[in-house]
Amino acid sequence: MNRFYALLFALCILCPLAKSQSVNLTPWPAQMSTSPGTFILPHNLSIQTSGLDADEQTEVRRFADELSHTTGIRIKYSRSKRATLKVNADPTLKDAEGYRLTITKKGIVVAASSATGLFYAFQSIYKMLPPNVCAGVRDTSQTYELPLSDITDRPRFAYRGFMLDVSRHFFDTAEIKKMLRLMAHYKMNHFHWHLTDDQGWRVEIKKYPKLTSIGAVRSNSWNTDLVKGSYWTGKPYGPYFYTQDDIRDVVAYADSLHITVVPEVEMPGHLAAAMAAYPEYSCAPDGEHRVWVDGGISTDVLNVANPAAVQFTKDILTELAPLFPGTLFHVGGDETPTTAWEHNTACQAIYASENLQAYSQLQSRFTREIAAHLHLLGKRIAVWNEAITARGADIALIKASEAMVFCWNPCQKGALKAAEAGLKTIITNWGTDGCYYINRRANSKDFGAGRGIDDIKKMYDYQPVPATVPESLQRYYYGVQGTFWCEHVSENEHLEHLALPRLMGIAEAGWTPQERRSFTHFIERMKTDTAFLRLAGYRYHPQFIDYEGAEP
Ligand code: ACM
């Protein structure tokens, strides 16, 4: 062997990333080997299935229909063992989201133990084909080929999420579905829908119609145009909200993409829009209340010492819970000022009679009661980390609530505290060390929040589970989430510009084993994916794709 061939041989054998470089697949799979060559999909493709249940059969049919629509390939179902695509149930694959995908010169074999596993195998097939397939755009003129490969794949974390704040600005169901489609392509499985906040109540509640007739309108709005920048509109914003039929429609669509919707209704703070509609449940029923216009945190919180006010929040949850088939229900709990409670006689009375040490304990007590109510509704409570990290928070009550703790600030301290209490935790860190708050500016030319130094490499390289976390606690680190706040983001294109491709980086953090992640390789794949993003009509941030490092 001369030196050139020896080097080539060493490169192919020793460097799995280099060897698989022609494979375009994000998130990068847990295990994959490739051989030279491709399998060309025939114009008449036969599918044989074995051992599948009804849901799995539905998944195969959906895949076949989509593939046929985008490529013009004709599909026929067959009993023959010589079919081009064989889809098998394999109960030995323990992770329901996992799958095996083998592509040889003879054809394709897919195996999974659930419809979700099959769905992810099919997403991998779509992703490795030309970009029009993922984009859903028909093109019958191309050759559709797949790299010869053997993939055994499953996610690192059970929860791979995206949160969108629709209170500060509203996004219609078409844009929500567009983001859901993107999430599914990158194997994300939870959409955290931040439905209410100080600046607007965005979901219909039939028992309390003023929540939307009053709470879904504010008197002015800070909007941003991606070209002209930010400006006050000087006009009322709203009423913008989702009807319960809209919610059902989005939830069903998400379900077809194997995405669980996690609703969030903030309580007992970030509730100014609701207090403007129903001031009788605030700490100052005769005072002035308004849907908040600026950013920041309103002190207009629920009067947690008023049983009627607590019942008001329970009624809202009772009405909403059946619309969401998933078990998690997020009730916020971040940034809750206690000043209104400190000046309210009913709150002062509980503080004294129960010998509380801090007014924040009123929040712990309220959260425990709401968790019990959600439990009766078949739900499990989720909260922001302040529920356990705020000064005076009663961890024992939150532990008794079996809350899922979403950690943002202080993220890792909060996560460790949650894990030590035996509570599951989601990592969505805010801060300069690798921000998962993907609404923040990447450079000084961007509009919106942040200092323009939110660097994609730092974010990508962020370790959701630091090496210092004891092994016994690692199982509580349940997942990762990209979080998107909309105080400064009012337009679809601005949302996509800031979120993409950071969201894909978080998808990869959620799916790919730590040792298989590589920033350079990720950026290469994102460069390839710009063809898909353009075809499907998504904006993305060019600085992140043509990465040259953070601004000084
Ligand atoms: C948050 O960013 N206030 C959860």
Side-chain angles (χ1 to χ4, degrees):
M1 209 172 347
N2 70 27
R3 234 192 256 166
F4 173 76
Y5 282 109
L7 185 66
L8 198 65
F9 178 76
L11 270 176
C12 290
I13 294 298
L14 298 177
C15 179
L17 291 180
K19 194 176 149 199
S20 310
Q21 223 133 48
S22 61
V23 177
N24 183 41
L25 186 51
T26 303
W28 197 239
Q31 283 177 39
M32 171 164 67
S33 62
T34 56
S35 333
T38 60
F39 172 70
I40 298 178
L41 271 56
H43 192 68
N44 290 299
L45 188 143
S46 52
I47 301 182
Q48 185 236 350
T49 65
S50 146
L52 304 189
D53 65 21
D55 286 348
E56 292 162 349
Q57 291 283 5
T58 304
E59 213 54 70
V60 174
R61 269 195 303 278
R62 207 176 278 157
F63 166 74
D65 291 348
E66 283 176 9
L67 187 72
S68 177
H69 168 74
T70 51
T71 62
I73 287 171
R74 279 212 293 268
I75 308 281
K76 124 170 157 256
Y77 293 92
S78 154
R79 285 174 199 276
S80 162
K81 290 239 162 12
R82 292 209 303 274
T84 322
L85 169 61
K86 295 195 195 100
V87 186
N88 303 325
D90 183 351
T92 67
L93 290 169
K94 290 284 174 263
D95 191 325
E97 293 189 301
Y99 65 91
R100 179 118 199 239
L101 170 61
T102 313
I103 303 159
T104 66
K105 283 277 177 211
K106 289 200 195 124
I108 307 165
V109 182
V110 168
S113 60
S114 78
T116 307
L118 289 182
F119 177 77
Y120 287 139
F122 297 146
Q123 294 308 312
S124 291
I125 293 177
Y126 290 150
K127 205 90 209 49
M128 292 191 286
L129 288 170
N132 65 295
V133 177
C134 268
V137 174
R138 186 172 173 86
D139 182 350
T140 56
S141 68
Q142 302 206 47
T143 303
Y144 290 97
E145 54 191 322
L146 289 165
L148 302 185
S149 46
D150 188 2
I151 299 175
T152 304
D153 207 4
R154 64 189 162 80
R156 178 178 179 197
F157 293 110
Y159 184 109
R160 306 174 300 282
F162 170 51
M163 190 214 84
L164 184 64
D165 160 23
V166 295
S167 168
R168 278 56 177 263
H169 285 100
F170 180 78
F171 293 85
D172 66 15
T173 57
E175 182 62 14
I176 302 286
K177 289 181 181 179
K178 191 176 172 198
M179 292 305 290
L180 290 171
R181 282 197 293 282
L182 188 99
M183 289 172 65
H185 285 312
Y186 293 97
K187 302 189 175 85
M188 299 190 95
N189 65 356
H190 284 82
F191 175 56
H192 172 180
W193 208 353
H194 186 84
L195 288 163
T196 68
D197 214 304
D198 293 324
Q199 292 83 352
W201 185 278
R202 306 272 174 239
V203 56
E204 176 189 27
I205 304 294
K206 293 187 196 291
K207 186 161 185 184
Y208 298 106
K210 284 191 283 180
L211 281 171
T212 43
S213 64
I214 294 175
V217 193
R218 61 172 179 262
S219 61
N220 200 350
S221 189
W222 179 247
N223 283 12
T224 302
D225 179 293
L226 202 42
V227 177
K228 289 185 243 148
S230 301
Y231 61 99
W232 285 106
T233 62
K235 287 198 280 230
Y237 182 86
Y240 295 123
F241 64 93
Y242 306 101
T243 64
Q244 293 192 1
D245 280 342
D246 290 336
I247 300 274
R248 283 188 196 93
D249 178 43
V250 167
V251 166
Y253 189 75
D255 187 56
S256 74
L257 299 170
H258 297 261
I259 292 172
T260 303
V261 180
V262 179
E264 181 180 353
V265 176
E266 283 261 25
M267 58 184 76
H270 280 294
L271 206 58
M275 297 301 93
Y278 293 93
E280 59 269 42
Y281 302 131
S282 74
C283 289
D286 300 325
E288 205 191 309
H289 300 268
R290 65 191 176 96
V291 181
W292 201 250
V293 169
D294 296 309
I297 307 164
S298 166
T299 53
D300 200 356
V301 302
L302 188 82
N303 183 352
V304 290
N306 174 1
V310 176
Q311 188 57 43
F312 166 66
T313 53
K314 287 185 183 170
D315 289 346
I316 291 167
L317 296 175
T318 303
E319 205 172 300
L320 287 178
L323 303 181
F324 298 95
T327 49
L328 270 188
F329 204 114
H330 204 303
V331 296
D334 56 319
E335 302 176 321
T336 306
T338 56
T339 40
W341 297 338
E342 287 162 33
H343 295 98
N344 178 272
T345 46
C347 294
Q348 287 165 348
I350 295 184
Y351 183 85
S353 69
E354 297 194 8
N355 198 20
L356 302 183
Q357 304 303 306
Y359 271 90
S360 52
Q361 282 175 279
L362 283 179
Q363 180 175 350
S364 312
R365 207 173 152 275
F366 169 79
T367 305
R368 176 74 194 103
E369 186 167 349
I370 290 301
H373 182 70
L374 281 170
H375 187 72
L376 291 177
L377 297 169
K379 304 290 179 195
R380 174 179 186 172
I381 196 169
V383 289
W384 292 108
N385 64 255
E386 283 91 328
I388 57 167
T389 56
R391 201 175 54 82
D394 188 334
I395 299 192
L397 285 179
I398 304 303
K399 191 173 153 127
S401 305
E402 295 176 0
M404 176 99 71
V405 184
F406 283 56
C407 292
W408 70 288
N409 182 28
C411 178
Q412 288 297 343
K413 264 196 198 154
L416 196 59
K417 206 165 182 176
E420 281 167 353
L423 298 172
K424 284 191 177 150
T425 177
I426 304 296
I427 300 296
T428 183
N429 78 316
W430 173 89
T432 50
D433 66 338
C435 192
Y436 280 12
Y437 272 30
I438 56 175
N439 58 291
R440 293 169 66 82
R441 291 190 295 156
N443 62 46
S444 48
K445 292 185 208 79
D446 279 338
F447 302 111
R451 287 183 292 145
I453 52 166
D454 276 46
D455 185 51
I456 192 168
K457 181 171 188 319
K458 266 199 211 157
M459 187 217 78
Y460 186 90
D461 288 341
Y462 181 73
Q463 306 274 346
V465 188
T468 47
V469 175
E471 208 174 320
S472 60
L473 297 182
Q474 288 180 9
R475 67 195 168 97
Y476 295 108
Y477 289 68
Y478 194 62
V480 292
Q481 174 167 288
T483 292
F484 200 103
W485 298 105
C486 292
E487 284 93 337
H488 301 268
V489 177
S490 51
E491 309 299 325
N492 296 347
E493 54 179 18
H494 195 191
L495 156 64
E496 295 170 15
H497 167 84
L498 288 172
L500 311 185
R502 282 189 278 192
L503 189 60
M504 290 77 134
I506 293 169
E508 186 144 295
W511 184 280
T512 307
Q514 184 60 38
E515 66 281 6
R516 304 244 322 146
R517 297 211 280 138
S518 148
F519 177 69
T520 356
H521 188 224
F522 169 71
I523 287 293
E524 264 171 41
R525 282 174 282 132
M526 287 303 105
K527 285 196 166 111
T528 308
D529 277 6
T530 55
F532 150 65
L533 295 173
R534 279 197 298 269
L535 261 179
Y538 290 97
R539 290 288 291 241
Y540 56 86
H541 203 306
Q543 183 186 320
F544 289 147
I545 305 263
D546 296 321
Y547 183 77
E548 283 174 10
E551 285 195 352

